[in-house]
Amino acid sequence: MGETEREIVAELGLGLVPNAFAWASEVPEVQTALWKAFRHVILRGTLPRTVKEMMGVVASKRVGSEYAARVHLHALMLQGVEEPLLRALERGEVPEGLPPKVAGLLHFAHSAAPHPHDPALLAPLREAGLTEAEVKEAVATLGLFRMVNAWTDLLTIPVDAV
């Protein structure tokens, strides 16, 4: 196991190298790039990891990409997200009763996932009280999941047995 794979196991908390990263092992530069992008956008920053993973589930469900939706639902379960919220996310829904910022981020992920070309999609985030740094982090999160979805869908990477 190389350095990148050791980092993945240590930092993700899943006890394995997910297929999304493992399938790049024969091209170490690509594996490292995928990991570093994921690590810096999802595991770091101001917005909570759980919220960013929820965004990934909603965006992935919206475009019909099962890999990220299923893997991140599992990760959310491991992080203690409650069952009713997990079920709603699994259906691709944004449940009622979430804090305004979280609801705004999930609605943004749902709306922008298939067509992220309209800057007006950012207005509800600002109206929900997100700072400009948080808005940019949300856009980076959506962009990362669009990349992950393309990677896993085009290569038909199987969902990990988690």
Side-chain angles (χ1 to χ4, degrees):
M1 184 179 294
E3 178 182 340
T4 297
E5 290 174 332
R6 281 191 297 278
E7 284 179 7
I8 293 168
V9 170
E11 293 186 37
L12 274 185
L14 300 176
L16 56 87
V17 176
N19 288 341
F21 301 114
W23 277 49
S25 63
E26 63 270 348
V27 189
E29 296 82 5
V30 171
Q31 184 182 53
T32 298
L34 289 169
W35 165 243
K36 298 291 183 191
F38 185 88
R39 171 204 246 174
H40 289 282
V41 173
I42 304 303
L43 303 184
R44 306 233 168 99
T46 304
L47 298 173
R49 173 184 176 176
T50 53
V51 173
K52 291 186 271 191
E53 290 193 275
M54 287 181 213
M55 289 176 66
V57 171
V58 169
S60 299
K61 293 299 272 184
R62 177 79 159 101
V63 299
S65 182
E66 283 301 308
Y67 183 92
R70 290 189 43 208
V71 169
H72 291 283
L73 275 169
H74 180 73
L76 288 165
M77 181 198 66
L78 292 177
Q79 293 171 75
V81 171
E82 296 178 5
E83 188 65 30
L85 178 52
L86 290 173
R87 283 195 306 270
L89 293 171
E90 187 171 24
R91 293 187 303 268
E93 299 172 3
V94 178
E96 298 292 323
L98 294 173
K101 282 185 175 184
V102 175
L105 287 162
L106 298 184
H107 283 295
F108 164 72
H110 184 269
S111 299
H115 305 288
H117 310 294
D118 184 1
L121 292 168
L122 302 178
L125 296 178
R126 294 178 176 113
E127 291 165 8
L130 275 79
T131 66
E132 284 306 304
E134 290 170 326
V135 168
K136 289 174 182 167
E137 193 172 336
V139 171
T141 298
L142 178 69
L144 179 90
F145 278 105
R146 285 177 53 94
M147 178 189 69
V148 168
N149 290 338
W151 173 256
T152 58
D153 291 349
L154 289 169
L155 293 173
T156 60
I157 297 174
V159 176
D160 303 88
V162 287

Short mmCIF file of all heavy atoms in Angstrom, two decimals, residues 83-110:
data_model
loop_
_atom_site.label_atom_id
_atom_site.label_comp_id
_atom_site.label_asym_id
_atom_site.label_seq_id
_atom_site.Cartn_x
_atom_site.Cartn_y
_atom_site.Cartn_z
N GLU A 83 -31.43 8.13 11.00
CA GLU A 83 -32.06 7.29 9.99
C GLU A 83 -33.10 8.03 9.13
O GLU A 83 -33.09 7.87 7.91
CB GLU A 83 -32.67 6.05 10.65
CG GLU A 83 -33.18 5.03 9.67
CD GLU A 83 -32.11 4.39 8.81
OE1 GLU A 83 -30.96 4.27 9.28
OE2 GLU A 83 -32.42 4.03 7.67
N PRO A 84 -34.01 8.83 9.70
CA PRO A 84 -34.99 9.51 8.84
C PRO A 84 -34.34 10.44 7.81
O PRO A 84 -34.79 10.51 6.67
CB PRO A 84 -35.85 10.30 9.83
CG PRO A 84 -35.69 9.59 11.13
CD PRO A 84 -34.28 9.03 11.12
N LEU A 85 -33.28 11.12 8.21
CA LEU A 85 -32.56 11.99 7.28
C LEU A 85 -31.87 11.16 6.20
O LEU A 85 -31.91 11.49 5.01
CB LEU A 85 -31.56 12.87 8.02
CG LEU A 85 -30.71 13.81 7.18
CD1 LEU A 85 -31.54 14.67 6.24
CD2 LEU A 85 -29.85 14.69 8.08
N LEU A 86 -31.26 10.04 6.59
CA LEU A 86 -30.61 9.16 5.62
C LEU A 86 -31.62 8.64 4.59
O LEU A 86 -31.33 8.61 3.39
CB LEU A 86 -29.93 7.99 6.31
CG LEU A 86 -28.70 8.30 7.15
CD1 LEU A 86 -28.24 7.05 7.90
CD2 LEU A 86 -27.58 8.86 6.30
N ARG A 87 -32.81 8.26 5.05
CA ARG A 87 -33.83 7.74 4.14
C ARG A 87 -34.28 8.81 3.15
O ARG A 87 -34.47 8.54 1.96
CB ARG A 87 -35.02 7.19 4.92
CG ARG A 87 -34.74 5.81 5.52
CD ARG A 87 -36.01 5.10 5.96
NE ARG A 87 -36.84 5.89 6.86
CZ ARG A 87 -36.75 5.89 8.19
NH1 ARG A 87 -35.85 5.11 8.78
NH2 ARG A 87 -37.53 6.63 8.93
N ALA A 88 -34.45 10.05 3.64
CA ALA A 88 -34.85 11.15 2.75
C ALA A 88 -33.76 11.40 1.71
O ALA A 88 -34.06 11.56 0.51
CB ALA A 88 -35.13 12.41 3.56
N LEU A 89 -32.51 11.43 2.15
CA LEU A 89 -31.40 11.65 1.21
C LEU A 89 -31.33 10.52 0.20
O LEU A 89 -31.09 10.76 -0.99
CB LEU A 89 -30.08 11.75 1.97
CG LEU A 89 -29.92 12.97 2.87
CD1 LEU A 89 -28.67 12.83 3.73
CD2 LEU A 89 -29.89 14.26 2.07
N GLU A 90 -31.58 9.30 0.64
CA GLU A 90 -31.55 8.15 -0.27
C GLU A 90 -32.60 8.29 -1.37
O GLU A 90 -32.38 7.84 -2.50
CB GLU A 90 -31.76 6.86 0.52
CG GLU A 90 -31.58 5.61 -0.32
CD GLU A 90 -31.58 4.36 0.53
OE1 GLU A 90 -32.14 4.37 1.64
OE2 GLU A 90 -31.01 3.36 0.07
N ARG A 91 -33.71 8.94 -1.05
CA ARG A 91 -34.75 9.19 -2.05
C ARG A 91 -34.43 10.43 -2.89
O ARG A 91 -35.18 10.77 -3.79
CB ARG A 91 -36.11 9.37 -1.37
CG ARG A 91 -36.63 8.11 -0.70
CD ARG A 91 -38.06 8.29 -0.19
NE ARG A 91 -38.21 9.40 0.74
CZ ARG A 91 -38.11 9.30 2.08
NH1 ARG A 91 -37.85 8.11 2.63
NH2 ARG A 91 -38.28 10.34 2.85
N GLY A 92 -33.34 11.13 -2.55
CA GLY A 92 -32.97 12.34 -3.27
C GLY A 92 -33.76 13.55 -2.83
O GLY A 92 -33.84 14.55 -3.54
N GLU A 93 -34.32 13.50 -1.63
CA GLU A 93 -35.16 14.57 -1.11
C GLU A 93 -34.41 15.43 -0.10
O GLU A 93 -33.48 14.97 0.56
CB GLU A 93 -36.39 13.98 -0.41
CG GLU A 93 -37.28 13.16 -1.30
CD GLU A 93 -38.36 12.43 -0.54
OE1 GLU A 93 -38.47 12.60 0.71
OE2 GLU A 93 -39.10 11.66 -1.18
N VAL A 94 -34.87 16.68 0.01
CA VAL A 94 -34.38 17.57 1.05
C VAL A 94 -35.49 17.64 2.09
O VAL A 94 -36.55 18.22 1.84
CB VAL A 94 -34.08 18.98 0.50
CG1 VAL A 94 -33.62 19.90 1.61
CG2 VAL A 94 -33.04 18.89 -0.61
N PRO A 95 -35.29 17.02 3.26
CA PRO A 95 -36.36 16.98 4.25
C PRO A 95 -36.63 18.35 4.87
O PRO A 95 -35.76 19.21 4.91
CB PRO A 95 -35.85 15.99 5.29
CG PRO A 95 -34.39 15.94 5.10
CD PRO A 95 -34.10 16.32 3.68
N GLU A 96 -37.84 18.49 5.37
CA GLU A 96 -38.23 19.70 6.11
C GLU A 96 -37.52 19.73 7.46
O GLU A 96 -37.09 18.70 7.96
CB GLU A 96 -39.75 19.69 6.33
CG GLU A 96 -40.57 19.70 5.06
CD GLU A 96 -40.46 20.99 4.31
OE1 GLU A 96 -40.40 22.06 4.95
OE2 GLU A 96 -40.41 20.95 3.06
N GLY A 97 -37.43 20.92 8.03
CA GLY A 97 -36.93 21.05 9.39
C GLY A 97 -35.43 21.18 9.54
O GLY A 97 -34.94 21.23 10.67
N LEU A 98 -34.70 21.22 8.44
CA LEU A 98 -33.25 21.40 8.54
C LEU A 98 -32.94 22.87 8.80
O LEU A 98 -33.71 23.75 8.42
CB LEU A 98 -32.58 20.97 7.23
CG LEU A 98 -32.66 19.49 6.88
CD1 LEU A 98 -32.10 19.26 5.48
CD2 LEU A 98 -31.91 18.65 7.89
N PRO A 99 -31.79 23.16 9.41
CA PRO A 99 -31.38 24.56 9.55
C PRO A 99 -31.33 25.22 8.17
O PRO A 99 -31.01 24.56 7.18
CB PRO A 99 -29.99 24.47 10.18
CG PRO A 99 -29.95 23.13 10.84
CD PRO A 99 -30.82 22.24 10.01
N PRO A 100 -31.64 26.52 8.08
CA PRO A 100 -31.70 27.19 6.78
C PRO A 100 -30.45 27.03 5.91
O PRO A 100 -30.55 26.82 4.70
CB PRO A 100 -31.93 28.66 7.13
CG PRO A 100 -32.59 28.63 8.47
CD PRO A 100 -32.02 27.42 9.17
N LYS A 101 -29.28 27.11 6.52
CA LYS A 101 -28.05 26.96 5.72
C LYS A 101 -27.95 25.56 5.12
O LYS A 101 -27.62 25.39 3.95
CB LYS A 101 -26.80 27.24 6.56
CG LYS A 101 -26.52 28.70 6.80
CD LYS A 101 -25.19 28.85 7.53
CE LYS A 101 -24.80 30.30 7.68
NZ LYS A 101 -23.46 30.45 8.30
N VAL A 102 -28.24 24.55 5.91
CA VAL A 102 -28.16 23.17 5.43
C VAL A 102 -29.19 22.93 4.34
O VAL A 102 -28.88 22.38 3.29
CB VAL A 102 -28.32 22.16 6.59
CG1 VAL A 102 -28.35 20.73 6.08
CG2 VAL A 102 -27.19 22.34 7.61
N ALA A 103 -30.43 23.36 4.59
CA ALA A 103 -31.47 23.20 3.57
C ALA A 103 -31.09 23.93 2.29
O ALA A 103 -31.25 23.39 1.19
CB ALA A 103 -32.80 23.73 4.11
N GLY A 104 -30.55 25.13 2.42
CA GLY A 104 -30.13 25.89 1.25
C GLY A 104 -29.04 25.17 0.46
O GLY A 104 -29.08 25.13 -0.77
N LEU A 105 -28.09 24.59 1.16
CA LEU A 105 -27.01 23.86 0.49
C LEU A 105 -27.53 22.62 -0.23
O LEU A 105 -27.12 22.32 -1.35
CB LEU A 105 -25.93 23.48 1.50
CG LEU A 105 -25.06 24.65 1.98
CD1 LEU A 105 -24.34 24.30 3.27
CD2 LEU A 105 -24.08 25.06 0.89
N LEU A 106 -28.47 21.92 0.40
CA LEU A 106 -29.01 20.70 -0.23
C LEU A 106 -29.90 21.05 -1.43
O LEU A 106 -29.85 20.38 -2.46
CB LEU A 106 -29.76 19.85 0.78
CG LEU A 106 -28.92 19.32 1.94
CD1 LEU A 106 -29.74 18.40 2.83
CD2 LEU A 106 -27.65 18.63 1.47
N HIS A 107 -30.68 22.12 -1.31
CA HIS A 107 -31.48 22.57 -2.46
C HIS A 107 -30.57 23.01 -3.61
O HIS A 107 -30.83 22.73 -4.78
CB HIS A 107 -32.43 23.69 -2.06
CG HIS A 107 -33.63 23.21 -1.32
ND1 HIS A 107 -34.60 22.40 -1.88
CD2 HIS A 107 -34.02 23.43 -0.03
CE1 HIS A 107 -35.54 22.14 -0.99
NE2 HIS A 107 -35.20 22.74 0.15
N PHE A 108 -29.49 23.70 -3.26
CA PHE A 108 -28.50 24.11 -4.27
C PHE A 108 -27.93 22.89 -4.98
O PHE A 108 -27.85 22.85 -6.21
CB PHE A 108 -27.39 24.93 -3.63
CG PHE A 108 -26.16 25.07 -4.48
CD1 PHE A 108 -26.18 25.89 -5.60
CD2 PHE A 108 -25.00 24.38 -4.17
CE1 PHE A 108 -25.04 26.02 -6.41
CE2 PHE A 108 -23.87 24.49 -4.97
CZ PHE A 108 -23.89 25.31 -6.09
N ALA A 109 -27.53 21.88 -4.22
CA ALA A 109 -26.95 20.67 -4.82
C ALA A 109 -27.95 20.01 -5.75
O ALA A 109 -27.59 19.57 -6.85
CB ALA A 109 -26.52 19.69 -3.72
N HIS A 110 -29.21 19.96 -5.35
CA HIS A 110 -30.26 19.35 -6.18
C HIS A 110 -30.47 20.16 -7.46
O HIS A 110 -30.56 19.59 -8.55
CB HIS A 110 -31.55 19.26 -5.37
CG HIS A 110 -32.64 18.56 -6.10
ND1 HIS A 110 -33.54 19.23 -6.89
CD2 HIS A 110 -32.95 17.26 -6.18
CE1 HIS A 110 -34.37 18.36 -7.42
NE2 HIS A 110 -34.04 17.15 -7.01
#
